[in-house]
Amino acid sequence: MLILLGTGVVANVALTKTKGFNGGTLMVTFGWAFAVFAGVTVSYKSGAHLNPAVSLAQLILGNITFVQFLIYILAQMVGAIIGAVLCFLAYKDHFNEEPEPAAKLGVFSTGPAIRNYAWNFVTEVIGTFVLVFSIIAFTNGKTPSELGALPVALIVLVIGVSLGGPTGYAINPARDLGPRIAHAFLPIKGKGPSDWSYAWVPVVGPLVGGAIAALLSFPLLPIVH
């Protein structure tokens, strides 16, 4: 649900023949925020494990076992690939009509506005730290459960508008890697390479950011009893 709707809003904005073409950054940011809302809402069984960085933080906090962590990572990757494939099917004719390989890749994966791997990595660490630290705060501070998935969606929204400019704010390894794999194997007409030289940044950066958030939560986010 997360990746279908998230890549879907990018396709609607980026592919030339769509109704939403040139909808702009805010349209993409709001689309991704509410894609997260939908994803969190339907994944209540697992406790909304949609993001390997969040799952890693929960492992560090002792809330899940290592086996659960591995199962969540596998499920997140499979779900991300399936979501990307469904997006491709929904926009199949528009992918065929789109002349720019970069626009097609941009539907599936993030890329930097200025390619500097070190600083792109730092940006992803910071953005994911904000996400995971806030999610832990919601739990530790006992954010009212009646709000449901809304707090997470709003955090993703503000990360997008505040920190999304340099890298497109993957802040989720599965969100970037799963669709990038789908881009590599899908029969997309006129597609270019999948930019594997950059692919480590939106995977490693979020994992580091999530780990730092978990470790700093011990002294900085006391649990409200």
Side-chain angles (χ1 to χ4, degrees):
M1 191 69 73
L2 166 65
I3 301 301
L4 170 60
L5 297 177
T7 57
V9 70
V10 180
N12 197 16
V13 169
L15 302 180
T16 309
K17 299 291 186 178
T18 63
K19 297 286 189 179
F21 178 61
N22 268 345
T25 301
L26 279 180
M27 179 173 168
V28 172
T29 307
F30 272 88
W32 269 109
F34 286 100
V36 170
F37 179 87
V40 170
T41 299
V42 302
S43 62
Y44 58 86
K45 176 64 175 177
S46 71
H49 277 266
L50 299 172
N51 184 338
V54 175
S55 297
L56 176 60
Q58 294 302 310
L59 177 65
I60 293 171
L61 294 172
N63 294 330
I64 62 173
T65 67
F66 186 69
V67 172
Q68 287 177 308
F69 172 70
L70 294 179
I71 293 171
Y72 287 143
I73 296 298
L74 176 61
Q76 289 156 4
M77 288 299 301
V78 171
I81 292 171
I82 292 172
V85 171
L86 291 175
C87 175
F88 167 71
L89 295 176
Y91 282 92
K92 177 64 167 62
D93 285 344
H94 301 85
F95 278 106
N96 289 343
E97 293 290 328
E98 176 57 48
E100 293 295 331
K104 297 175 184 180
L105 175 60
V107 172
F108 294 91
S109 59
T110 62
I114 299 174
R115 188 170 294 251
N116 183 320
Y117 294 124
W119 289 111
N120 301 152
F121 172 80
V122 169
T123 299
E124 287 293 332
V125 170
I126 294 171
T128 311
F129 170 83
V130 172
L131 173 66
V132 177
F133 199 68
S134 299
I135 289 173
I136 295 171
F138 295 153
T139 303
N140 289 4
K142 299 201 181 300
T143 296
S145 59
E146 291 82 3
L147 294 175
L150 185 60
V152 181
L154 293 176
I155 289 297
V156 172
L157 177 63
V158 74
I159 291 171
V161 297
S162 299
L163 300 171
T167 62
Y169 70 114
I171 60 175
N172 180 338
R175 171 268 173 273
D176 193 275
L177 183 57
R180 195 183 298 269
I181 292 171
H183 176 270
F185 72 73
L186 282 170
I188 303 170
K189 181 180 177 181
K191 71 176 180 181
S194 301
D195 194 15
W196 290 108
S197 63
Y198 180 77
W200 70 272
V201 173
V203 172
V204 180
L207 290 175
V208 172
I212 294 172
L215 293 171
L216 287 181
S217 73
F218 288 111
L220 297 179
L221 296 177
I223 298 174
V224 173
H225 295 287

